[in-house]
Amino acid sequence: LPTLTIFLPLYKEANMLQQLADMLNALDYPSEKLNCLILLEAVDTPTAIAAMRIVWPDFVRILSVPENAQQTKARACNYALRYSNDELLVIFDAEDIPHPQQMREAAEKFAASDDALACLQAPLRIYPRDGSWLQAQYALEYRLLFSFILPQLSAAMSCLPLGGSSNYFRRAALCHVGGWDDYNLTEDADLALRLAGFGYRIGTIKRETLENAPHKLDIWHYQRTRWQSGHIQLLHAYTVWSLRRLLQGRPAAKSAFKWRLAMLTCVAVLAVRLFSGLLYIASAVIYFVPSDIQFYSLFLYISAGFYSAYASILFKYAAADNWADRIGLVITHPLYWALTFPAQLNALKRMAFGQTSWLKSPHQPYAPNKPLRVNVRKL
């Protein structure tokens, strides 16, 4: 097995530290081949004090990230990169509980591939609270993204917009493309596009990581605003550039054409996620405001056809105990995407005024009265 470093960038996460220590102790990987860097912002004194009270595994080190005006997860990871020389590295978030054997699966897949495979994305699964419609929809969104969309993109063109956690990297490839972008609010998706630009491949693995969903609407809104802001940054940075490069491509440069097409596909996925709320709102307005304009009818037919196909896929991945709940989740899913519209407007306003602060989302430990179990047989 190769040596591996875990990056755990934390900010205002004192309440999550014991759960993180338990997670690290449960990993099925030789401790002599593991390193873990807990990255704490220098200004985050409460988390630092709490971290010193935790009994960590022997392979854990706590690293203080110097104070900076640009306080992002990407900057913390770039700072930590100089303290790691291991062959592989992985990023986990504060609430993550990866499958104990996930690291072994990633190491095996890297060993069976050439050096062009630069990154492996593990599927993220949301652990919703009972009775929360918002968290159930959030979980459905993640299941569709990580169980269907991203594996299909990986199989088709070896490029996909990465999630922010459970990404395994070859350190050499990560350094070759320059690490993360300190200023991008979705640094994971940006890194995926640059990996494609350098000719690297991104794959997926099957063993999952459990995460918490935002437990309040305002937390969900701010998280979505951050994501939408990052998508706007990426669309602005890559769309015109990649289209120009695509039009300038020569017939002989098939490999170059492939990665440009892959990059455009990733950008298209981000654009759909960015504007989906607006499309749902527009469809509803057109439907309830009668008009004789032919374009409106055509738009409705296209929208209805798309949603019918989308709903059939949603129904397959809806995690519910009975058919009625699954149908209810699918029927009300457009309302969930419509809720992203205010976040889109907020993100557009923030980007127009150059506001790139992090909008940190707080996390909660898993409910102690409801034991968390991973179905190993199913995985």
Side-chain angles (χ1 to χ4, degrees):
L1 290 171
T3 55
L4 189 150
T5 299
I6 302 168
F7 282 4
L8 278 171
L10 305 178
Y11 182 57
K12 297 182 179 180
E13 301 283 11
N15 63 321
M16 303 299 295
L17 296 182
Q18 186 57 58
Q19 179 176 292
L20 281 174
D22 296 340
M23 177 272 285
L24 293 171
N25 279 312
L27 295 175
D28 180 15
Y29 205 84
S31 59
E32 65 273 12
K33 291 184 175 289
L34 265 183
N35 286 295
C36 176
L37 296 177
I38 295 180
L39 314 178
L40 303 182
E41 295 290 339
V43 297
D44 188 10
T45 304
T47 305
I49 293 174
M52 289 186 285
R53 296 172 178 167
I54 300 294
V55 179
W56 299 100
D58 293 339
F59 55 82
V60 172
R61 287 185 291 164
I62 298 176
L63 191 64
S64 179
V65 181
E67 187 174 353
N68 188 283
Q70 194 61 29
Q71 195 174 72
T72 61
K73 177 180 174 181
R75 187 185 72 90
C77 290
N78 278 329
Y79 179 77
L81 198 56
R82 70 192 73 179
Y83 294 95
S84 168
N85 293 315
D86 291 335
E87 182 180 346
L88 303 178
L89 62 89
V90 60
I91 300 176
F92 291 129
D93 286 338
E95 78 276 24
D96 285 354
I97 298 184
H99 189 290
Q101 296 179 334
Q102 185 187 98
M103 292 179 174
R104 289 182 177 269
E105 182 185 358
E108 291 170 3
K109 193 158 186 177
F110 275 123
S113 304
D114 58 22
D115 291 343
L117 180 64
C119 178
L120 291 171
Q121 169 76 68
L124 304 180
R125 296 284 184 268
I126 298 302
Y127 182 68
R129 298 186 180 188
D130 291 339
S132 172
W133 174 85
L134 182 66
Q135 290 191 343
Q137 292 291 354
Y138 191 91
L140 176 55
E141 176 192 2
Y142 264 51
R143 285 179 63 86
L144 182 66
L145 179 64
F146 288 98
S147 297
F148 178 73
I149 297 175
L150 297 190
Q152 295 297 327
L153 285 177
S154 175
M157 54 186 57
S158 300
C159 179
L160 52 94
L162 293 170
S165 169
S166 301
N167 303 318
Y168 290 81
F169 297 98
R170 292 190 196 270
R171 187 181 185 281
L174 184 62
C175 293
H176 182 213
V177 303
W180 294 269
D181 180 357
D182 287 357
Y183 294 89
N184 195 284
L185 296 174
T186 48
E187 77 292 333
D188 34 34
D190 169 77
L191 182 56
L193 295 177
R194 280 189 286 117
L195 286 171
F198 278 82
Y200 287 109
R201 301 195 315 273
I202 300 174
T204 59
I205 55 178
K206 294 183 178 179
R207 290 190 170 98
E208 65 187 10
T209 294
L210 293 174
E211 286 196 341
N212 258 337
H215 59 287
K216 294 181 180 179
L217 181 60
D218 58 340
I219 296 175
W220 179 89
H221 170 78
Y222 284 123
Q223 182 191 64
R224 193 65 50 153
T225 297
R226 185 177 75 245
W227 291 356
Q228 307 285 40
S229 299
H231 293 354
I232 293 170
Q233 289 176 306
L234 289 174
L235 291 173
H236 177 265
Y238 285 99
T239 303
V240 175
W241 177 82
S242 56
L243 280 171
R244 186 185 304 122
R245 294 292 297 272
L246 182 64
L247 295 174
Q248 293 173 353
R250 299 176 182 177
K254 294 182 179 180
S255 60
F257 177 82
K258 181 178 179 181
W259 75 253
R260 289 170 198 165
L261 182 61
M263 182 177 288
L264 283 173
T265 302
C266 284
V267 168
V269 171
L270 294 174
V272 170
R273 288 174 61 80
L274 174 61
F275 295 112
S276 55
L278 175 61
L279 292 176
Y280 278 119
I281 293 289
S283 298
V285 169
I286 291 173
Y287 181 79
F288 289 109
V289 179
S291 174
D292 296 331
I293 301 177
Q294 189 65 30
F295 169 76
Y296 281 14
S297 299
L298 179 62
F299 183 87
L300 281 177
Y301 292 145
I302 295 174
S303 178
F306 170 79
Y307 180 71
S308 298
Y310 183 55
S312 64
I313 302 173
L314 279 177
F315 190 79
K316 177 181 178 181
Y317 290 99
D321 295 332
N322 55 67
W323 284 76
D325 288 344
R326 294 176 72 182
I327 294 173
L329 283 175
V330 173
I331 291 176
T332 59
H333 196 67
L335 176 60
Y336 173 76
W337 281 111
L339 287 175
T340 66
F341 185 56
Q344 293 168 14
L345 295 179
N346 194 16
L348 286 168
K349 182 209 71 170
R350 287 172 56 81
M351 291 299 97
F353 288 97
Q355 300 171 353
T356 58
S357 56
W358 183 241
L359 287 181
K360 173 74 174 60
S361 301
H363 300 107
Q364 295 291 327
Y366 293 100
N369 60 342
K370 187 175 182 181
L372 195 61
R373 298 184 179 91
V374 178
N375 190 338
V376 178
R377 180 184 299 178
K378 184 177 180 180
L379 296 179

